[in-house]
Amino acid sequence: MASQSLLDSLNPKGHLEIIKRYTTGETELVLSDHNIITNGMGTTLASLFSSENASESFDNFALTYFQIGTGTNLMHVSATTLHTPLPLADYGDTDLTVSAHGMSTGVSPDPYFVHINPAHISKISSTKITYSLVLDEATANGSSLTEIGMFSKNPTLSTPTISYLCAYRTFTAVAKNDSYSLILKWTIEF
């Protein structure tokens, strides 16, 4: 009998909804489909389960960052980065917390990540978590968005912080402008 990987035995799944919410209050569903759970999720979970330091913050193993981008990668479990994540300047006048730090691939310079506010994370059941990510009317305008990824914070407890891509999705280009907010509802299930 062949041995299963941690990802195979847990069988995590993801589902992404992308919704335009216009300033008039109207909404438009752009995408409602699965995403790819990547090998970074396996690294994150294996690091969590094997951590010998009980005082280590769970936050290091949680999905606490996302990136949005304008390129496309193959949607494959071995994906480790977004093809073209937005640079800081492209986020524009945003209330989001955007910062740069390292990632598992050692890309240089350090890419920018958006911190996921814990208030926007909901436990739906004992096996499901939904992340509600919002790019408001003032954020990422002028960008043609085509990809998104969620990242664990620092599962290998590296100094400095090194994030891992855990879930990835490409989608048909959305030309972001100030007439709408983009709501990204991402559900991860184990």
Side-chain angles (χ1 to χ4, degrees):
M1 180 172 126
S3 65
Q4 288 187 323
S5 73
L6 180 61
L7 280 181
D8 290 337
S9 63
L10 291 175
N11 194 27
K13 300 176 191 85
H15 187 268
L16 178 63
E17 285 185 326
I18 301 176
I19 302 161
K20 288 182 180 178
R21 183 179 60 211
Y22 293 91
T23 55
T24 62
E26 295 176 49
T27 61
E28 174 188 344
L29 184 64
V30 175
L31 175 78
S32 181
D33 206 353
H34 74 285
N35 64 253
I36 297 298
I37 300 296
T38 67
N39 289 339
M41 180 73 82
T43 299
T44 298
L45 293 172
S47 296
L48 170 65
F49 295 145
S50 67
S51 180
E52 294 178 7
N53 186 350
S55 66
E56 208 45 64
S57 170
F58 174 75
D59 190 44
N60 282 309
F61 307 100
L63 302 182
T64 56
Y65 295 109
F66 77 93
Q67 287 181 332
I68 192 95
T70 58
T72 56
N73 275 335
L74 290 176
M75 287 193 13
H76 193 272
V77 296
S78 63
T80 56
T81 64
L82 269 66
H83 187 273
T84 313
L86 289 184
L88 180 61
D90 287 1
Y91 280 98
D93 182 23
T94 185
D95 289 333
L96 297 172
T97 303
V98 183
S99 61
H101 64 264
M103 60 187 307
S104 62
T105 58
V107 172
S108 183
D110 289 345
Y112 286 91
F113 294 86
V114 179
H115 182 264
I116 300 171
N117 184 331
H120 298 154
I121 303 172
S122 304
K123 184 177 177 183
I124 304 303
S125 73
S126 62
T127 61
K128 285 185 184 181
I129 299 172
T130 296
Y131 301 81
S132 297
L133 316 171
V134 178
L135 303 178
D136 66 23
E137 290 91 346
T139 303
N141 290 330
S143 298
S144 185
L145 305 173
T146 56
E147 62 179 341
I148 187 168
M150 284 192 22
F151 293 78
S152 56
K153 182 177 180 179
N154 188 23
T156 56
L157 309 177
S158 302
T159 303
T161 295
I162 296 177
S163 292
Y164 282 77
L165 178 65
C166 293
Y168 178 76
R169 178 67 204 202
T170 61
F171 48 92
T172 302
V174 175
K176 180 67 176 72
N177 62 55
D178 63 1
S179 69
Y180 62 88
S181 295
L182 204 56
I183 301 166
L184 308 147
K185 288 185 177 181
W186 208 325
T187 301
I188 304 290
E189 179 179 8
F190 293 94

